[in-house]
Amino acid sequence: MFETLAALFFAHVLADYVLQTNTMVETKDRALTLALHTLAVFVTAVIATGSIDWRIATLAGIHLLVDIAKTVWIRKRDDDGINPYLLDQAAHLLTIIAIAAIAPTLWANGIWAREFGNGGLINATSWAPKVMLLIAGAIYTTRAGGFAVGKLMGPFAEGAPKESLPAGGMMIGLLERGLIYLMFIAGQPAGIGFLIAAKSILRFDAASNNAKAEYVIIGTLASFSWAIAISILILTINNGLNGTALLEIIPPKD
């Protein structure tokens, strides 16, 4: 199951955050855009799992329905903030988990596992799902987290620091989420404390302005929370691939 889950998650990240352009996001209410994006969801899942299966088509179909529901939500409520974004991603992830549970052998029966697995020369079964999972986790932690934090901070834009580098805050967010992800993957989550301390010192000047300080604090906590939550999710799936306790964050010492 976990091999299939890793492959489907990798496909989802590619379809939503690599192959989907800003223009496609802005024109999601058009039938052609939805069709192209749904096709990308299907094709990436087929390539990642190495399988052409009706359950992958079902996954793509549900993805389409979720995207339509999100578009209707945004249009009717005039709300393109954090709530529809989180609900959209939660629905996609739950669908991926459900498909992986219903069809756990999608990866095992796929071309990659059949041709290169089972102790073969390359033995893709042993490493490919882990590589896909780690790459997808890095993209989802940094890029997807950037969209989440940006949508959350939209209503607080008046408190944003005015004297800053162009896209400086976005780059800081990408770097801090990336560092948190690396610390978790390396089994050193305690290092996050040093990251918090360093940012607090560097942002000390914000304390002189209440609005700016609150903006920075909210954005930082949101960014850290996203990175920690996704890192734990990735470690849980990775533990499943390794056959260890799912919620084991720090590997035990020998």
Side-chain angles (χ1 to χ4, degrees):
M1 170 186 172
F2 288 100
E3 289 82 4
T4 298
L5 179 58
L8 291 178
F9 178 62
F10 178 67
H12 167 68
V13 171
L14 288 182
D16 260 19
Y17 296 101
V18 177
L19 299 179
Q20 184 172 216
T21 65
N22 290 333
T23 300
M24 293 177 69
V25 173
E26 294 169 358
T27 59
K28 217 51 175 304
D29 55 342
R30 298 179 184 175
L32 178 60
T33 300
L34 283 170
L36 289 174
H37 181 58
T38 304
L39 179 62
V41 171
F42 177 76
V43 171
T44 53
V46 167
I47 293 174
T49 60
S51 298
I52 298 179
D53 190 279
W54 67 269
R55 286 158 294 195
I56 294 179
T58 301
L59 172 67
I62 295 174
H63 192 107
L64 172 62
L65 293 177
V66 171
D67 281 356
I68 292 174
K70 179 186 176 184
T71 301
V72 172
W73 173 304
I74 293 173
R75 185 187 301 128
K76 286 190 174 182
R77 302 196 180 195
D78 193 23
D79 176 16
D80 192 18
I82 187 65
N83 289 331
Y85 180 80
L86 291 181
L87 289 173
D88 171 77
Q89 287 304 304
H92 290 324
L93 293 179
L94 288 174
T95 302
I96 290 170
I97 293 171
I99 295 295
I102 293 170
T105 59
L106 278 178
W107 167 264
N109 294 334
I111 186 173
W112 311 125
R114 289 202 308 268
E115 294 296 325
F116 304 114
N118 302 320
L121 180 62
I122 301 178
N123 196 13
T125 301
S126 65
W127 59 265
K130 295 180 182 179
V131 171
M132 287 191 288
L133 176 65
L134 293 178
I135 293 174
I139 297 173
Y140 203 70
T141 301
T142 55
R143 184 162 169 76
F147 286 112
V149 174
K151 291 181 179 297
L152 174 67
M153 299 307 294
F156 310 108
E158 292 184 1
K162 300 299 187 293
E163 304 83 13
S164 61
L165 294 173
M170 181 182 70
M171 181 56 65
I172 291 172
L174 285 172
L175 291 172
E176 70 188 14
R177 288 189 297 275
L179 286 172
I180 290 172
Y181 180 70
L182 288 175
M183 289 174 187
F184 267 96
I185 296 303
Q188 300 294 331
I192 297 172
F194 294 99
L195 185 59
I196 294 174
K199 187 168 184 180
S200 298
I201 293 172
L202 294 173
R203 287 287 194 174
F204 182 76
D205 64 313
S208 61
N209 182 302
N210 287 337
K212 185 194 296 186
E214 290 174 353
Y215 183 89
V216 171
I217 291 171
I218 294 172
T220 297
L221 291 177
S223 182
F224 276 52
S225 297
W226 178 276
I228 291 171
I230 302 305
S231 297
I232 292 174
L233 172 64
I234 298 303
L235 282 178
T236 300
I237 299 174
N238 189 60
N239 289 341
L241 290 171
N242 294 329
T244 58
L246 294 183
L247 297 180
E248 181 181 277
I249 296 176
I250 302 177
K253 296 182 180 180
D254 295 332

